């Protein structure tokens, strides 16, 4: 059994009173870098390069010498089959402690190709017992997802579905395509947007929208927001995207919704973690990218969880499953904080 131990910062998240604010119609920023920069960008080792193009090629993994590894472990992890089984039971038995809510609805937000849809498919794969692609994943520079799609994470055949619903929308900053507006994102979180609604910059969500939920109940709303950023692209994300993230976070906090983040593509920036995912909390490069992700999002690293999605693999891996399930458990803790804040007599999560 391998362990990595450190004292984790107790989460706290302040709110902003923006509820009821009239949100202007503007598009969430682009994840595309500016063109023609002669200064270039820094790579994972701090070297300056002239190539600042996103998505042209897979970054070459970097191996760090033992002396650069973390002196202390950031979080405790047990990489065992028993731990995997325990986490699956925890997630499967989770139920919101709120009479009118049976499912925790979680919205994933991130740039194009950040790994939102891949995370949904990876989590579903863990519960299916085999690698599947339930959420369609695009391979181009534009977002595959164009509408609001909700995925209820289900167990193997014959098992009851979990109480977790992962919601996916088009990526922030689609380049040639237009990303979702701040108004539309907040409308989703407030529970006004119907399932399957296709977003259009010329037709913002409003009361006349087909299927518009005029008086959403607690079960219609989003209970936690997860920002998803790719470790392989952190150095290429623009300052404008950082501003976008922080504007979103401010308004979402105003709605009383807690937020966490996933750092994906960790296997693409660290060769040791690519070969052995249990090295994730020993990697200096991943530690550095988590700090950079925190700066990008305006978020403490205690809210950020590194994950490795299933992509080319044909079979499940126990250690990858543990990392994915730990991320889901982390998300559900913050969803529960929402129910605690919005339920008069909250007594903690229910389990079957």
């Amino acid at each position: 059994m391998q362990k990595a131990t450190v004292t984790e910062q107790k989460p706290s998240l302040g709110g902003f009173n923006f509820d009821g604010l009239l949100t202007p119609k503007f598009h969430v920023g682009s994840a595309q870098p500016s063109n023609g920069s002669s200064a270039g960008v820094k790579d994972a080792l701090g070297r300056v390069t002239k190539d600042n193009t996103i998505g042209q090629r897979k970054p070459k993994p970097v191996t760090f010498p033992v002396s650069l590894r973390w002196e202390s472990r950031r979080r405790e992890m047990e990489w065992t089959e028993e731990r995997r089984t325990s986490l699956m039971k925890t997630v499967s038995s989770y139920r919101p402690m709120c009479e009118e809510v049976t499912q925790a609805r979680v919205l994933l937000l991130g740039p194009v190709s950040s790994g939102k849809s891949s995370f949904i498919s990876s989590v579903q794969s863990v519960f299916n017992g085999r690698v599947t692609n339930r959420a369609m994943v695009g391979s181009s520079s534009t977002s595959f997802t164009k509408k609001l799609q909700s995925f209820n994470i289900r167990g193997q055949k014959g098992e009851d579905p979990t109480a977790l619903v992962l919601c996916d929308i088009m990526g922030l900053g689609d380049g040639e395509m237009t990303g979702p507006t701040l108004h539309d994102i907040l409308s989703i979180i407030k529970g006004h947007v119907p399932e399957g609604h296709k977003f259009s910059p010329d037709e913002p969500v409003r009361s006349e929208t087909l299927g518009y939920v005029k008086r959403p109940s607690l079960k219609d709303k989003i209970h936690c927001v997860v920002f998803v950023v790719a470790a392989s692209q952190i150095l290429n994300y623009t300052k404008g995207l950082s501003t976008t993230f922080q504007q979103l976070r401010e308004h979402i906090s105003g709605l009383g919704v807690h937020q966490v983040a996933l750092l994906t593509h960790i296997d693409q920036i660290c060769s040791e973690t690519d070969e052995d995912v249990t090295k994730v909390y020993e990697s200096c490069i991943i530690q550095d990218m988590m700090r950079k992700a925190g700066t990008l999002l305006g978020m403490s690293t205690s809210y950020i969880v590194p994950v490795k999605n299933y992509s080319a693999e044909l079979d499940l891996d126990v250690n990858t499953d543990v990392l994915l399930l730990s991320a889901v458990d982390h998300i559900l803790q913050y969803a529960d904080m929402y129910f605690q804040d919005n339920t008069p007599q909250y007594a903690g999560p229910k389990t079957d």
Side-chain angles (χ1 to χ4, degrees), residues 174-185:
D174 289 340
E176 295 179 1
M177 301 296 291
T178 304
T181 65
L182 173 63
H183 170 80
D184 285 352
I185 291 174

Side-chain angles (χ1 to χ4, degrees), residues 84 275 277-278:
R84 176 183 180 276
E275 295 173 3
V277 75
T278 67

Side-chain angles (χ1 to χ4, degrees), residues 266-282:
I266 58 173
D267 50 314
Q268 295 184 19
I269 63 169
C270 177
S271 60
E272 287 189 347
T273 303
D274 184 31
E275 295 173 3
D276 181 2
V277 75
T278 67
K279 303 295 185 182
V280 59
Y281 288 121
E282 300 176 23

Side-chain angles (χ1 to χ4, degrees), residues 21-28 180-190 192-193 199 203-207 209 212 248 251 255:
L21 179 67
L22 292 176
T23 55
K25 179 184 175 183
F26 66 88
H27 296 290
V28 172
T181 65
L182 173 63
H183 170 80
D184 285 352
I185 291 174
L186 296 181
S187 295
I188 295 171
I189 295 171
K190 293 176 183 178
H192 293 302
V193 182
F199 298 96
E203 298 180 7
V205 175
R206 52 188 179 181
S207 58
T209 298
Y212 182 87
L248 280 169
H251 284 78
L255 298 177

Side-chain angles (χ1 to χ4, degrees), residues 25 96 138 150 190 204 235 249 291 306 314 337-339:
K25 179 184 175 183
S150 301
K190 293 176 183 178
L235 299 179
R249 294 201 60 238
R291 284 196 297 262
L314 297 178
M337 290 172 65
Y338 177 88
F339 296 124

